[in-house]
Amino acid sequence: MLKPTIFIVFIFLTNSIFAQNKTINIKQLSPKVYVHESFLDTEEWGKVSCNGMIFVNDGEAIIFDTPANNEASNQLIRIVEDSLKAKIVGVLVNHFHEDCLGGLKAFHQRLISTYANLQTIALAKSNGFSIPVFGFKKKLTLKVGGEKVQNFYFGPAHTQDNIVSYIPSEKVLFGGCMVKALGASKGNLADADTTQWSHTIKKVMKLQPKIVIPGHGKVGGPELLTYTEKLFN
């Protein structure tokens, strides 16, 4: 049986590039920063749109959260390599849920380094998920094409292990599911610490980002942090 052909359509807009198909969408936020969007099928919430981030600098790229599955991850890898002309040097996992590491196997098959908080590694293992290889406790700084990428564990919120990732040169924060889009509900609280969430967000605010990417929903600015802090206060 012939496999269906997957078409990737690039749409060029002012300051934006989209790569779109049924599996993954990519939007450009700045010359070096992109959001990747994939879709996770869940029993409780239905089909959920999930955000991740791509940072590209001087021929190197780093991915923040995998797409929701290996198929979407393989497509993301091809787009980064073929269209963005960058070598993927690492993947940062925000927390242990499937919307963050569901496509980790695709990166491991390419021998791409994967990083996460030590708690995330332990929780992924105990839940039977793919396991990031390299762990850190409080802070991890990597370099991509010579630019710093900072990753912080500030405390529990959406999960006990959730981190945030920050690119100082771009003033861009990938908050993952710790950060809510404007108007969003509290969402999945199965593994949350709602008593510490607001306190943890206050620590994130000190980074003073200009662009904030939530785990789900629309990208915004520091107002997303303010909204999230008030939501759990």
Side-chain angles (χ1 to χ4, degrees):
M1 181 181 292
L2 293 176
K3 293 183 179 180
T5 302
I6 298 174
F7 294 96
I8 298 176
V9 181
F10 290 92
I11 305 173
F12 293 84
L13 301 174
T14 304
N15 296 324
S16 297
I17 300 176
F18 292 79
Q20 294 182 312
N21 58 48
K22 293 180 180 179
T23 307
I24 192 163
N25 302 321
I26 297 175
K27 180 178 181 180
Q28 187 173 18
L29 299 182
S30 75
K32 297 181 180 181
V33 179
Y34 302 76
V35 173
H36 67 79
E37 177 193 26
S38 58
F39 305 93
L40 180 68
D41 291 319
T42 69
E43 291 184 6
E44 183 175 358
W45 306 94
K47 190 174 185 178
V48 177
S49 167
C50 308
N51 294 332
M53 184 173 76
I54 310 165
F55 176 57
V56 180
N57 186 54
D58 198 21
E60 293 185 342
I62 192 164
I63 311 296
F64 300 85
D65 278 359
T66 76
N69 53 62
N70 291 313
E71 179 187 359
S73 288
N74 280 320
Q75 292 206 25
L76 175 61
I77 291 168
R78 287 196 292 270
I79 292 169
V80 171
E81 291 178 346
D82 297 343
S83 299
L84 300 181
K85 307 297 181 184
K87 176 184 178 182
I88 301 173
V89 296
V91 176
L92 265 297
V93 174
N94 182 271
H95 62 279
F96 77 97
H97 286 168
E98 194 172 5
D99 52 356
C100 299
L101 48 66
L104 205 60
K105 184 178 178 180
F107 293 94
H108 285 163
Q109 288 175 337
R110 299 289 193 97
L111 302 180
I112 295 169
S113 297
T114 56
Y115 304 85
N117 181 270
L118 288 168
Q119 294 182 75
T120 302
I121 293 174
L123 287 165
K125 184 176 182 179
S126 65
N127 283 273
F129 296 143
S130 293
I131 304 168
V133 175
F134 299 104
F136 69 96
K137 190 173 182 180
K138 292 291 185 179
K139 181 179 178 181
L140 173 68
T141 299
L142 300 171
K143 285 194 175 181
V144 179
E147 293 284 357
K148 287 183 180 180
V149 173
Q150 298 175 325
N151 306 277
F152 301 95
Y153 175 71
F154 285 128
H158 172 69
T159 58
Q160 290 295 320
D161 61 311
N162 49 201
I163 65 168
V164 297
S165 299
Y166 184 62
I167 304 170
S169 63
E170 300 288 312
K171 294 192 179 299
V172 175
L173 175 81
F174 180 66
C177 297
M178 180 194 300
V179 178
K180 297 294 181 179
L182 291 181
S185 68
K186 292 183 177 180
N188 177 15
L189 301 178
D191 299 300
D193 187 336
T194 56
T195 64
Q196 292 298 311
W197 200 319
S198 178
H199 179 66
T200 300
I201 284 290
K202 286 179 180 178
K203 295 180 183 178
V204 178
M205 287 177 172
K206 294 179 181 179
L207 295 173
Q208 298 183 319
K210 290 185 177 179
I211 299 174
V212 177
I213 302 171
H216 307 278
K218 292 184 178 181
V219 175
E223 70 277 2
L224 271 63
L225 301 178
T226 302
Y227 174 79
T228 304
E229 191 276 327
K230 289 181 178 179
L231 189 64
F232 289 96
N233 197 331

PDB file of all heavy atoms in Angstrom, residues 101-114:
ATOM      1  N   LEU A 101       7.774  15.185  26.536  1.00  0.00           N
ATOM      2  CA  LEU A 101       8.789  14.206  26.134  1.00  0.00           C
ATOM      3  C   LEU A 101       8.237  13.049  25.316  1.00  0.00           C
ATOM      4  O   LEU A 101       8.910  12.042  25.102  1.00  0.00           O
ATOM      5  CB  LEU A 101       9.541  13.672  27.367  1.00  0.00           C
ATOM      6  CG  LEU A 101       8.781  13.206  28.599  1.00  0.00           C
ATOM      7  CD1 LEU A 101       7.939  11.972  28.354  1.00  0.00           C
ATOM      8  CD2 LEU A 101       9.751  12.941  29.736  1.00  0.00           C
ATOM      9  N   GLY A 102       7.004  13.210  24.787  1.00  0.00           N
ATOM     10  CA  GLY A 102       6.376  12.137  24.027  1.00  0.00           C
ATOM     11  C   GLY A 102       7.130  11.744  22.771  1.00  0.00           C
ATOM     12  O   GLY A 102       6.975  10.632  22.261  1.00  0.00           O
ATOM     13  N   GLY A 103       7.962  12.651  22.238  1.00  0.00           N
ATOM     14  CA  GLY A 103       8.725  12.358  21.029  1.00  0.00           C
ATOM     15  C   GLY A 103      10.208  12.193  21.281  1.00  0.00           C
ATOM     16  O   GLY A 103      11.024  12.323  20.361  1.00  0.00           O
ATOM     17  N   LEU A 104      10.588  11.889  22.513  1.00  0.00           N
ATOM     18  CA  LEU A 104      12.005  11.838  22.886  1.00  0.00           C
ATOM     19  C   LEU A 104      12.768  10.743  22.137  1.00  0.00           C
ATOM     20  O   LEU A 104      13.945  10.906  21.791  1.00  0.00           O
ATOM     21  CB  LEU A 104      12.125  11.621  24.395  1.00  0.00           C
ATOM     22  CG  LEU A 104      13.398  12.111  25.083  1.00  0.00           C
ATOM     23  CD1 LEU A 104      13.569  13.606  24.906  1.00  0.00           C
ATOM     24  CD2 LEU A 104      13.359  11.755  26.569  1.00  0.00           C
ATOM     25  N   LYS A 105      12.098   9.633  21.864  1.00  0.00           N
ATOM     26  CA  LYS A 105      12.753   8.507  21.197  1.00  0.00           C
ATOM     27  C   LYS A 105      13.346   8.912  19.853  1.00  0.00           C
ATOM     28  O   LYS A 105      14.434   8.457  19.477  1.00  0.00           O
ATOM     29  CB  LYS A 105      11.765   7.360  21.013  1.00  0.00           C
ATOM     30  CG  LYS A 105      12.377   6.106  20.413  1.00  0.00           C
ATOM     31  CD  LYS A 105      11.343   4.990  20.301  1.00  0.00           C
ATOM     32  CE  LYS A 105      11.932   3.753  19.666  1.00  0.00           C
ATOM     33  NZ  LYS A 105      10.916   2.669  19.548  1.00  0.00           N
ATOM     34  N   ALA A 106      12.634   9.778  19.120  1.00  0.00           N
ATOM     35  CA  ALA A 106      13.112  10.205  17.796  1.00  0.00           C
ATOM     36  C   ALA A 106      14.457  10.921  17.900  1.00  0.00           C
ATOM     37  O   ALA A 106      15.326  10.766  17.036  1.00  0.00           O
ATOM     38  CB  ALA A 106      12.075  11.120  17.140  1.00  0.00           C
ATOM     39  N   PHE A 107      14.640  11.694  18.960  1.00  0.00           N
ATOM     40  CA  PHE A 107      15.911  12.410  19.158  1.00  0.00           C
ATOM     41  C   PHE A 107      17.008  11.456  19.615  1.00  0.00           C
ATOM     42  O   PHE A 107      18.159  11.573  19.200  1.00  0.00           O
ATOM     43  CB  PHE A 107      15.718  13.554  20.151  1.00  0.00           C
ATOM     44  CG  PHE A 107      14.830  14.649  19.637  1.00  0.00           C
ATOM     45  CD1 PHE A 107      13.473  14.646  19.926  1.00  0.00           C
ATOM     46  CD2 PHE A 107      15.338  15.665  18.844  1.00  0.00           C
ATOM     47  CE1 PHE A 107      12.643  15.646  19.440  1.00  0.00           C
ATOM     48  CE2 PHE A 107      14.522  16.671  18.357  1.00  0.00           C
ATOM     49  CZ  PHE A 107      13.163  16.663  18.650  1.00  0.00           C
ATOM     50  N   HIS A 108      16.660  10.505  20.465  1.00  0.00           N
ATOM     51  CA  HIS A 108      17.641   9.529  20.917  1.00  0.00           C
ATOM     52  C   HIS A 108      18.139   8.670  19.755  1.00  0.00           C
ATOM     53  O   HIS A 108      19.318   8.298  19.697  1.00  0.00           O
ATOM     54  CB  HIS A 108      17.040   8.646  22.011  1.00  0.00           C
ATOM     55  CG  HIS A 108      16.918   9.336  23.325  1.00  0.00           C
ATOM     56  ND1 HIS A 108      16.113   8.878  24.348  1.00  0.00           N
ATOM     57  CD2 HIS A 108      17.499  10.467  23.805  1.00  0.00           C
ATOM     58  CE1 HIS A 108      16.202   9.686  25.394  1.00  0.00           C
ATOM     59  NE2 HIS A 108      17.030  10.664  25.086  1.00  0.00           N
ATOM     60  N   GLN A 109      17.241   8.368  18.811  1.00  0.00           N
ATOM     61  CA  GLN A 109      17.647   7.584  17.641  1.00  0.00           C
ATOM     62  C   GLN A 109      18.664   8.332  16.785  1.00  0.00           C
ATOM     63  O   GLN A 109      19.456   7.709  16.072  1.00  0.00           O
ATOM     64  CB  GLN A 109      16.421   7.217  16.811  1.00  0.00           C
ATOM     65  CG  GLN A 109      15.539   6.160  17.465  1.00  0.00           C
ATOM     66  CD  GLN A 109      14.261   5.888  16.709  1.00  0.00           C
ATOM     67  OE1 GLN A 109      13.780   6.735  15.937  1.00  0.00           O
ATOM     68  NE2 GLN A 109      13.690   4.711  16.896  1.00  0.00           N
ATOM     69  N   ARG A 110      18.645   9.656  16.854  1.00  0.00           N
ATOM     70  CA  ARG A 110      19.618  10.485  16.133  1.00  0.00           C
ATOM     71  C   ARG A 110      20.847  10.803  16.989  1.00  0.00           C
ATOM     72  O   ARG A 110      21.694  11.587  16.582  1.00  0.00           O
ATOM     73  CB  ARG A 110      18.955  11.802  15.698  1.00  0.00           C
ATOM     74  CG  ARG A 110      17.775  11.656  14.747  1.00  0.00           C
ATOM     75  CD  ARG A 110      18.203  11.222  13.372  1.00  0.00           C
ATOM     76  NE  ARG A 110      17.135  11.375  12.408  1.00  0.00           N
ATOM     77  CZ  ARG A 110      16.985  12.411  11.583  1.00  0.00           C
ATOM     78  NH1 ARG A 110      17.884  13.383  11.606  1.00  0.00           N
ATOM     79  NH2 ARG A 110      15.978  12.472  10.740  1.00  0.00           N
ATOM     80  N   LEU A 111      20.911  10.225  18.188  1.00  0.00           N
ATOM     81  CA  LEU A 111      22.020  10.452  19.120  1.00  0.00           C
ATOM     82  C   LEU A 111      22.143  11.925  19.517  1.00  0.00           C
ATOM     83  O   LEU A 111      23.240  12.447  19.729  1.00  0.00           O
ATOM     84  CB  LEU A 111      23.343   9.945  18.527  1.00  0.00           C
ATOM     85  CG  LEU A 111      23.378   8.458  18.146  1.00  0.00           C
ATOM     86  CD1 LEU A 111      24.731   8.090  17.574  1.00  0.00           C
ATOM     87  CD2 LEU A 111      23.042   7.567  19.347  1.00  0.00           C
ATOM     88  N   ILE A 112      21.000  12.603  19.636  1.00  0.00           N
ATOM     89  CA  ILE A 112      20.960  13.998  20.073  1.00  0.00           C
ATOM     90  C   ILE A 112      20.871  14.028  21.601  1.00  0.00           C
ATOM     91  O   ILE A 112      20.064  13.313  22.202  1.00  0.00           O
ATOM     92  CB  ILE A 112      19.759  14.726  19.443  1.00  0.00           C
ATOM     93  CG1 ILE A 112      19.932  14.810  17.922  1.00  0.00           C
ATOM     94  CG2 ILE A 112      19.581  16.130  20.037  1.00  0.00           C
ATOM     95  CD1 ILE A 112      18.695  15.280  17.176  1.00  0.00           C
ATOM     96  N   SER A 113      21.684  14.836  22.228  1.00  0.00           N
ATOM     97  CA  SER A 113      21.717  14.922  23.691  1.00  0.00           C
ATOM     98  C   SER A 113      20.401  15.462  24.238  1.00  0.00           C
ATOM     99  O   SER A 113      19.834  16.416  23.696  1.00  0.00           O
ATOM    100  CB  SER A 113      22.868  15.825  24.145  1.00  0.00           C
ATOM    101  OG  SER A 113      24.120  15.294  23.760  1.00  0.00           O
ATOM    102  N   THR A 114      19.920  14.860  25.331  1.00  0.00           N
ATOM    103  CA  THR A 114      18.671  15.296  25.956  1.00  0.00           C
ATOM    104  C   THR A 114      18.917  15.606  27.427  1.00  0.00           C
ATOM    105  O   THR A 114      19.652  14.884  28.111  1.00  0.00           O
ATOM    106  CB  THR A 114      17.576  14.228  25.812  1.00  0.00           C
ATOM    107  OG1 THR A 114      18.047  12.978  26.359  1.00  0.00           O
ATOM    108  CG2 THR A 114      17.226  14.015  24.347  1.00  0.00           C
TER     109      THR A 114
END
